[in-house]
Amino acid sequence: MELFWYIAIAVVLTMFFILDGYDFGTGIIHLFFAKEEKDKEVITKAAGLFWDSNEVWLVAAGGMLFMAFPTFYASVFSGFYLPLILVLWLIIFRAIGLELRGQFKFQMWKDIWDASFGVSSLLLALFFGIALGNIVRGVNLGGVEKGISEYEAHYFFLPLWDSSFSPLSKTPGVIDWFTIIIGIISVVALTIHGANWIILKTNSTINNKLKGVILRLNIVLAALTIFSLIVWKIINPNSFDNFIQKPYLMVFPIIYLTGLIGLFFIKKLKKDVYAFTLSTLLILGGITSSLASLFPVLLPSVNTVNEPLTIYNTAATEYGLSVALNWGIIGFILLFVYMIIQKRLMGGKIDTMDYGH
């Protein structure tokens, strides 16, 4: 049952980053590339019409995590309390930026909420990437100092950063040079995804320009990917062991590489949906490759005193997991039906659709 719920939560989280990921990317494109009001308005719609339904997946993931792996849930929500509060405020400001910009026609009013939407989207993409970097790198479980745990083995606390700013520190912070690299990769990947979404869903005048932007960003992403793998191997010498011991897991890096390589040919793709599919593969492959490299670990420990948190030592009881199964199936059906109906109602280009202010 632990494996089933692990896969289920991984699917829901991946859906969130694919769906709300293009909203983050749309906000970044809006911040840096949308100059004319007509482009700003239609690009805002490309996110505004979808963001609230896309965030349902994040809420669902949180609920499932609490139900299936309560120890991990408690550990992460206490240890990452400060960055999680920052993420919450960024989600709020992104939403009100989208909802309030059209309330008045004063230019300064629009500029304020455009900045709220764009900057919040940029920082959300960065912080979620940094979060993945922390999961991959590990934390000081138990708050070990001089070989002694200061609190229970599954708890930890991270400052935003420590004085060394190094992922090799015995007491690392949330932000160090490694997690910043993963954060930048997240920003670049989601910007590509958002640009593809804008091209797919709008007739913006900057669509042709965005194809060139995607190509340049893809070159940057390829370089960052290679660099991050080298660094990851230095930080964790056993980081690729799962792929060597279980070769079938290589399907996940192959998915990532398919998206990455395919996007180099974006200007030759005949249909916009092909490019969006490739950036979707990019996100899907990146997240699943990270999870596959750690499995069955959920959160590594940077000390040798306390064991890492895994799907087995953080799971609810077998009875609890089995009772939740029926409700989980119902929830999954509702989630997918909701998504399908919403996407069908919003099918095609959205330029002339009413945002509903």
Side-chain angles (χ1 to χ4, degrees):
M1 290 298 292
E2 293 93 344
L3 181 59
F4 169 81
W5 284 110
Y6 174 78
I7 294 172
I9 293 170
V11 168
V12 172
L13 276 175
T14 303
M15 289 296 294
F16 166 72
F17 286 113
I18 290 172
L19 296 175
D20 214 29
Y22 63 63
D23 291 332
F24 299 157
T26 298
I28 297 170
I29 295 295
H30 186 280
L31 179 66
F32 292 110
F33 298 101
K35 305 300 180 184
E36 298 182 18
E37 176 59 27
K38 60 180 181 180
D39 289 332
K40 290 182 179 181
E41 185 174 341
V42 75
I43 291 173
T44 300
K45 279 191 209 178
L49 289 169
F50 300 92
W51 73 265
D52 47 356
S53 64
N54 292 338
E55 284 190 358
V56 169
W57 294 90
L58 181 61
V59 177
M64 293 169 68
L65 197 63
F66 173 73
M67 181 278 302
F69 302 105
T71 302
F72 176 70
Y73 179 93
S75 176
V76 168
F77 272 72
S78 61
F80 291 131
Y81 184 79
L82 180 57
L84 284 172
I85 291 297
L86 292 175
V87 165
L88 176 61
W89 278 104
L90 289 172
I91 288 175
I92 291 170
F93 274 97
R94 184 188 65 149
I96 61 176
L98 285 167
E99 300 300 326
L100 293 182
R101 87 173 300 272
Q103 296 294 321
F104 298 101
K105 294 184 179 180
F106 300 115
Q107 190 58 48
M108 186 171 72
W109 175 268
K110 290 182 178 180
D111 290 343
I112 290 171
W113 297 116
D114 282 346
S116 176
F117 169 44
V119 173
S120 296
S121 297
L122 174 64
L123 292 178
L124 279 168
L126 179 66
F127 268 89
F128 276 118
I130 288 173
L132 178 60
N134 276 268
I135 296 296
V136 168
R137 179 206 62 201
V139 299
N140 184 23
L141 287 173
V144 173
E145 291 283 349
K146 297 180 180 179
I148 301 174
S149 295
E150 294 188 354
Y151 24 86
E152 291 181 65
H154 59 274
Y155 284 118
F156 65 95
F157 171 77
L158 294 185
L160 276 181
W161 58 79
D162 77 340
S163 57
S164 68
F165 207 67
S166 170
L168 300 174
S169 169
K170 293 182 179 179
T171 56
V174 173
I175 302 173
D176 57 45
W177 57 261
F178 173 69
T179 60
I180 285 289
I181 292 170
I182 306 302
I184 293 172
I185 289 175
S186 173
V187 170
V188 174
L190 294 181
T191 303
I192 291 171
H193 196 47
N196 279 325
W197 178 250
I198 292 169
I199 294 169
L200 177 66
K201 298 298 290 183
T202 77
N203 292 309
S204 169
T205 61
I206 64 171
N207 280 2
N208 287 331
K209 177 183 178 181
L210 288 181
K211 291 185 178 182
V213 171
I214 291 169
L215 182 59
R216 291 193 292 273
L217 287 176
N218 205 49
I219 295 171
V220 173
L221 182 60
L224 285 172
T225 298
I226 295 170
F227 180 62
S228 66
L229 290 175
I230 295 171
V231 171
W232 190 8
K233 184 66 176 176
I234 294 172
I235 294 172
N236 180 8
N238 301 318
S239 52
F240 304 137
D241 286 1
N242 271 2
F243 297 108
I244 296 171
Q245 296 166 7
K246 305 179 182 78
Y248 57 85
L249 293 178
M250 285 299 298
V251 67
F252 301 120
I254 290 172
I255 291 172
Y256 179 84
L257 288 175
T258 300
L260 184 67
I261 294 170
L263 285 169
F264 281 111
F265 304 95
I266 185 168
K267 293 186 177 181
K268 296 182 179 180
L269 299 175
K270 294 181 180 180
K271 294 185 178 181
D272 297 335
V273 71
Y274 295 160
F276 182 73
T277 300
L278 289 170
S279 58
T280 298
L281 292 177
L282 202 64
I283 297 170
L284 173 63
I287 294 173
T288 53
S289 294
S290 300
L291 295 177
S293 69
L294 294 173
F295 183 83
V297 172
L298 294 172
L299 187 63
S301 175
V302 297
N303 63 66
T304 57
V305 176
N306 297 310
E307 295 182 352
L309 302 183
T310 71
I311 66 172
Y312 302 111
N313 63 16
T314 63
T317 64
E318 191 72 19
Y319 174 75
L321 293 177
S322 61
V323 168
L325 180 59
N326 293 332
W327 292 106
I329 293 172
I330 294 172
F332 261 102
I333 292 172
L334 291 174
L335 268 177
F336 280 101
V337 168
Y338 176 44
M339 181 187 70
I340 292 168
I341 292 174
Q342 196 254 10
K343 300 307 177 190
R344 286 182 67 87
L345 290 173
M346 301 292 180
K349 301 289 185 178
I350 51 86
D351 302 71
T352 59
M353 289 185 183
D354 182 17
Y355 189 4
H357 288 299

